[in-house]
Amino acid sequence: MSITVNYNNMMQYALGERGISDAELKEQEILAQSAHFQVEAARGRGMQGWMESPYDQAEVVKQIKATAARIRKRYEAFVVLGIGGSALGPQAVFTALKHSYYNELPKKLRKGPRFYVVDNVDPERMNALFDVVNVEKTMFNVITKSGATGETMSQYLIIYDMLKAKLGNKAHEHIIATTSESTGNLIKLAKQEGFETFFIPSSVGGRFSELCPVGLLPAAVVGIDVSKLLKGARDMDRKCKSKYIAKNPALALATLQYISMKHGKNISVMMPYSDSLKYISDWYAQLWAESLGKEVDKNGNVVNVGQTPVKALGVTDQHSQVQLYNEGPFDKVITFVEVGNFRSDVTIPQGCEEYPNVNFLCGHTLGELMNSELYATRYNLTRRGRANYTIRLDCVDAYHIGALLYLLQMQTAYAGAMLNVDAYNQPGVEGGKDATYALFGRKGYEDKLEEMRSAKPDSDKYII
Ligand code: PA5
């Protein structure tokens, strides 16, 4: 396992008085051990089935590989229909592990179907999809654990209607449903229509589901070695066995973030220095925000906790957000994700000899430039007392991505336990969903509609 977590730049050792002291970290040792105990005690139970995902899927992985092999042979495109935890993981892992221009590659090099994730209900994007895929040669993977999410079910209705119009009684062969085995509408529809199905265990919530069929089937379809993803997660799980902060990377990171929140650092920036990891930040943003952003704690006390995740990308965002990180409020913790060895590199050729302030670049590689800019940015932020730590992956491959996802899931679980919040619910999302249902005239939401109609209308005074 070559993932390291370097948190020097969170500590007084590097940051001076703005950092966390050794004593302060030690003070949290009991809380951290209790968080570790709670998380371990619930392993595989309640909503912590995701901790078993690296271990208990031998059978399902076999099925996934067989289905993926069939799809790779027969279909030109594979489209994920889903939202939130049912879409962010597949997108993140695909982007991390496949060619940057995968869909544009000739079929001979791609070796599998083109890949799309439709995670919104934007009508323009939906119509645009039909310009680039031939539904008759496309497999659609409808992913929704609840089997009831309005956005995903709208997408399903549109696609299935189109498939039926074009393919008649063969339409069902173009849909795979990934959903709960026992609850929701999608499983009923799957049985009724004869869709192939994969199941999301009831003990695995959306944002913790990438390492179950939600993520594994799409990954296998594009040729990612899903056994290596799971092996990486397993090895990271072993690294997180210790109850001591100094020996458990996820526990260390959760504790540092917990202390930082207490210091008023309510923004968590994730800034990978690799385009391939760009969507890992999107996935992490949901994981961190939805799991920890809570009004009440487990005892019903109003706590209004959570850190706002910010997605950034090195080096691109050095030219946009880093000014703020260096000189704005001291309210952020920056997580750098560093890649030791890029899968390929490009040497900057000789040239511009008469322009020394361009010529200094020549002979170096882009990989060197990327990582030198990371060191420089990190150095400068640290010098200015800005809290940051680095997760370093030796390289980006299925094994390290599995390990990284699992590390971040463990960090989130520990942080939830430290904050004493339920990291697995999302009551704050329900209000907006209910209001949408009311506006769409869904049965049972008449009172909500009434309530909305009697709300204060916008005042013209504030509309220009
Ligand atoms: O993390 C979660 O549970 C949510 O973000 C869900 O993933 C999201 O709401 C989609 O839910 P579902 O898979 O039921 O369609």
Side-chain angles (χ1 to χ4, degrees):
M1 161 79 53
S2 11
I3 291 195
T4 54
V5 162
N6 179 344
Y7 61 92
N8 270 280
N9 301 342
M10 295 294 290
M11 307 300 292
Q12 281 190 354
Y13 171 77
L15 281 190
E17 61 177 20
R18 291 203 179 269
I20 296 168
S21 68
D22 288 339
E24 207 176 350
L25 195 55
K26 202 163 180 337
E27 263 171 41
Q28 301 301 336
E29 193 74 59
I30 302 287
L31 182 69
Q33 287 184 15
S34 149
H36 180 267
F37 177 78
Q38 284 176 51
V39 171
E40 278 304 320
R43 176 181 287 270
R45 296 193 295 112
M47 289 308 291
Q48 283 184 210
W50 59 270
M51 292 177 79
E52 293 298 340
S53 304
Y55 300 100
D56 68 358
Q57 297 191 96
E59 227 9 78
V60 78
V61 164
K62 250 194 235 161
Q63 281 171 38
I64 283 173
K65 286 184 178 173
T67 299
R70 181 170 53 81
I71 295 170
R72 283 168 71 74
K73 251 193 231 141
R74 292 201 204 146
Y75 293 87
E76 278 180 3
F78 183 85
V79 179
V80 169
L81 305 176
I83 201 160
S86 293
L88 288 159
Q91 181 69 65
V93 169
F94 165 75
T95 309
L97 297 175
K98 297 311 291 183
H99 190 282
S100 307
Y101 298 102
Y102 172 86
N103 281 345
E104 283 81 26
L105 285 174
K107 198 170 174 199
K108 209 165 69 190
L109 291 179
R110 213 183 334 110
K111 296 187 183 123
R114 284 179 287 123
F115 182 78
Y116 303 91
V117 177
V118 182
D119 64 347
N120 208 343
V121 287
D122 184 314
E124 294 179 8
R125 181 158 155 213
M126 184 56 95
N127 276 322
L129 179 73
F130 300 133
D131 291 336
V132 294
V133 303
N134 172 358
V135 294
E136 293 169 55
K137 294 183 177 160
T138 301
M139 178 61 90
F140 294 91
N141 185 194
V142 188
I143 309 180
T144 165
K145 180 176 175 195
S146 62
T149 301
E151 293 87 345
T152 307
M153 295 315 287
S154 306
Q155 295 168 346
Y156 159 78
L157 284 163
I158 294 163
I159 298 293
Y160 198 41
D161 188 56
M162 188 173 275
L163 284 169
K164 280 192 289 193
K166 299 216 172 199
L167 296 166
N169 62 8
K170 293 227 176 291
H172 68 281
E173 292 173 7
H174 289 248
I175 299 227
I176 295 177
T178 304
T179 188
S180 159
E181 188 169 7
S182 51
T183 54
N185 304 317
L186 188 58
I187 185 61
K188 292 184 199 138
L189 287 163
K191 284 181 184 156
Q192 181 187 305
E193 302 295 319
F195 303 148
E196 184 173 356
T197 46
F198 284 94
F199 299 124
I200 308 171
S202 55
S203 56
V204 178
R207 53 192 175 272
F208 288 84
S209 68
E210 174 53 21
L211 296 173
C212 79
V214 168
L216 299 182
L217 177 64
V221 165
V222 293
I224 292 167
D225 186 339
V226 296
S227 300
K228 288 210 174 120
L229 275 174
L230 294 173
K231 166 103 174 71
R234 268 198 305 278
D235 287 356
M236 181 52 74
D237 189 42
R238 283 188 200 112
K239 270 194 119 177
C240 297
K241 283 283 186 241
S242 172
K243 62 179 181 180
Y244 298 109
I245 294 170
K247 292 191 173 161
N248 178 335
L251 193 59
L253 295 184
T255 310
L256 292 163
Q257 291 285 23
Y258 174 79
I259 297 171
S260 301
M261 285 184 239
K262 293 222 160 299
H263 288 184
K265 290 188 168 54
N266 287 320
I267 297 176
S268 168
V269 177
M270 179 171 274
M271 191 164 181
Y273 272 67
S274 163
D275 278 12
S276 71
L277 301 179
K278 183 175 175 174
Y279 289 104
I280 296 284
S281 304
D282 283 56
W283 172 85
Y284 169 75
Q286 185 215 13
L287 182 71
W288 199 245
E290 225 169 44
S291 303
L292 305 182
K294 297 290 150 76
E295 183 171 38
V296 290
D297 69 10
K298 284 187 189 161
N299 307 112
N301 304 309
V302 174
V303 286
N304 296 116
V305 289
Q307 261 181 336
T308 302
V310 170
K311 305 172 269 184
L313 179 67
V315 304
T316 309
D317 281 308
Q318 286 176 199
H319 297 268
S320 96
Q321 300 190 40
V322 168
Q323 165 63 29
L324 170 76
Y325 301 169
N326 267 308
E327 295 191 357
F330 287 85
D331 56 359
K332 298 169 200 66
V333 177
I334 299 159
T335 302
F336 290 112
V337 187
E338 177 181 351
V339 175
N341 299 289
F342 290 95
R343 284 163 287 196
S344 68
D345 212 338
V346 179
T347 302
I348 304 167
Q350 293 302 324
C352 293
E353 283 78 5
E354 63 282 27
Y355 301 99
N357 48 6
V358 176
N359 184 257
F360 76 97
L361 296 164
C362 302
H364 293 284
T365 69
L366 289 184
E368 271 178 71
L369 183 58
M370 190 89 154
N371 279 342
S372 300
E373 293 202 36
L374 164 58
Y375 298 139
T377 302
R378 185 168 51 197
Y379 167 77
N380 202 39
L381 284 162
T382 305
R383 208 174 53 91
R384 287 167 168 270
R386 308 291 167 155
N388 67 87
Y389 59 81
T390 301
I391 302 174
R392 184 185 185 279
L393 278 62
D394 195 35
C395 62
V396 177
D397 60 13
Y399 176 78
H400 286 90
I401 291 300
L404 177 65
L405 297 182
Y406 198 83
L407 169 74
L408 296 171
Q409 290 183 184
M410 287 299 276
Q411 179 196 10
T412 306
Y414 293 139
M418 287 179 185
L419 292 167
N420 191 32
V421 295
D422 183 345
Y424 303 101
N425 67 3
Q426 51 280 328
V429 183
E430 299 309 320
K433 277 192 191 168
D434 290 351
T436 308
Y437 297 153
L439 289 173
F440 257 53
R442 180 167 160 185
K443 208 160 172 272
Y445 291 81
E446 297 79 6
D447 290 352
K448 188 77 194 171
L449 188 61
E450 209 40 53
E451 174 204 305
M452 289 171 79
R453 284 198 174 130
S454 56
K456 259 189 185 175
D458 284 344
S459 162
D460 286 345
K461 187 175 159 195
Y462 303 117
I463 300 175
I464 300 167

